[in-house]
Amino acid sequence: MNRRIEALVPAAAASGIVAAVVRPEILALTKYAVAKAPGLVKLDAMESPFPLPEAVRAKVAAAVAAVPVNRYPDGAADGVKAALRGAFDLPSAAGLILGNGSDELIQLITMALARPGAVMIAPEPSFEMYRMNAIFSGMRYVGVSLRADFALDVDAMEAAVAQARPALVYLAYPNNPTGNLFDESAMERILRVAPGLVVVDEAYHAFADASFLPRLAEFPNLLVLRTVSKIGMAGLRLGYAVAAPEWIAEFEKVRQPYNLNALTQAVAPVLLAEQGMLATWAAQLKAERARLEAALARLPGVAVFPTRTNFVLARVPDAPRWFEALRAAGILVKNRHGVHPLLLHCLRITVGSPAENDALLAALAVL
Ligand code: PMP
């Protein structure tokens, strides 16, 4: 700010100007909460609990040391794209775009489709960034409640699609925070009736044993969104979207030219090449998930919902009290009570390492 304006605008007066110029829907928002967890067993954010093996750390260190940080990164991030195509067998005819986390892709896809009056539809409860991004971009948001068992209410979704003609539908497959995988035929019905883009968000694909990726050619309005965050690389911030090249070409126009930093571009291919390590981690987490589900289900008054992710949603007798008691015992989970009526007294618990899960179960045993 130049000195003349500074003199006219004392810092204390900022709130009045902020209220006058920031969009009312932004003023009304609450920031997406990221919990601090110093010293806690972190079971709140679906991160992988596994540190890199020493030999892989050495490869990462060498890759990072070679990065020319004085230069901008490769704007196309071709090395990362090749590594992703190799690691996940992405259809070669499909377009691919990378994001700084899949969060960024949600933002830029939404922005590109947010014509005045355009509508976004998503089931509820689901990943809250869909609705938030509708607000950021000025899209009208229509949430359609899931059934009590967290299945898609296909009739209600179809009715909403017919009425609102959404430019954009988000379906998390499997869903967060409920953990379940929607019925494939229900997904197909929505893909067939939706007049615009349907984003199938497969953030948890590594634990789901199901994907719409092989069906991309069948649905010209399908985009499959993924992330490496849940498979051991949350710190890299790397998401990817696969769809018909025509979609990707438009989204590329909205992407910031250097959205993937050079360090991420150097490290991601190193880790994606460790297919054995990634597969072992996913298998271990699936085994731990089964153990956790069974142990939680044995607790009196606890209902465990089916999950195809690396977290378990459980309804407990008193979620706020259990959340606080767990935190006092050094364990951070996510309390979803109060977020949506269907999540009454629900805690979302990320599957951790065997030792972390033992610590969780020990703390729950003495609640
Ligand atoms: N989609 C879903 C369904 C998620 O649960 C998350 C993470 N919580 C994301 C997208 C965003 O993941 P990231 O930005 O780390 O790629």
Side-chain angles (χ1 to χ4, degrees), residues 32 46 100-104 106 127 130 172 174 176 201 203-204 226-227 229-230 237-239:
Y32 184 93
M46 285 78 91
N100 192 300
S102 50
D103 275 344
E104 191 197 25
I106 293 169
F127 186 41
Y130 307 146
N176 171 16
D201 182 347
Y204 301 95
R226 294 223 180 136
T227 176
S229 294
K230 321 296 173 182
R237 307 306 297 130
L238 172 62

Side-chain angles (χ1 to χ4, degrees), residues 16-225:
I17 309 170
V18 167
V21 300
V22 173
R23 289 156 48 200
E25 61 273 27
I26 303 294
L27 289 172
L29 271 183
T30 309
K31 187 171 161 297
Y32 184 93
V34 176
K36 292 265 184 238
L40 298 180
V41 173
K42 208 167 171 305
L43 302 180
D44 67 323
M46 285 78 91
E47 293 141 311
S48 162
F50 303 119
L52 293 177
E54 204 50 54
V56 180
R57 287 168 65 124
K59 291 184 199 172
V60 167
V64 167
V67 172
V69 290
N70 56 315
R71 300 290 175 195
Y72 282 111
D74 174 9
D78 284 331
V80 180
K81 282 187 188 151
L84 286 168
R85 283 193 183 275
F88 298 114
D89 201 17
L90 308 181
S92 53
L96 172 64
I97 183 169
L98 309 185
N100 192 300
S102 50
D103 275 344
E104 191 197 25
L105 292 167
I106 293 169
Q107 185 179 42
L108 68 82
I109 290 165
T110 307
M111 198 193 306
L113 270 52
R115 298 181 182 210
V119 173
M120 172 197 295
I121 289 183
E124 287 188 342
S126 189
F127 186 41
E128 44 188 313
M129 291 312 291
Y130 307 146
R131 185 185 65 88
M132 287 187 73
N133 274 283
I135 295 169
F136 302 161
S137 289
M139 251 185 160
R140 187 160 74 82
Y141 172 80
V142 177
V144 179
S145 186
L146 295 172
R147 295 181 187 278
D149 64 355
F150 303 141
L152 273 178
D153 186 339
V154 194
D155 291 340
M157 287 289 286
E158 284 194 350
V161 167
Q163 217 227 327
R165 309 295 297 158
L168 182 54
V169 177
Y170 279 105
L171 297 168
Y173 186 78
N175 192 37
N176 171 16
T178 58
N180 60 314
L181 190 74
F182 297 139
D183 187 52
E184 188 174 355
S185 61
M187 301 277 293
E188 283 169 20
R189 272 176 63 186
I190 295 163
L191 275 158
R192 290 195 206 290
V193 296
L197 183 67
V198 178
V199 174
V200 174
D201 182 347
E202 298 188 351
Y204 301 95
H205 74 97
F207 317 101
D209 295 310
S211 174
F212 270 82
L213 198 62
R215 307 194 59 185
L216 264 181
E218 264 175 79
F219 301 103
N221 60 342
L222 168 63
L223 178 144
V224 174
L225 182 65

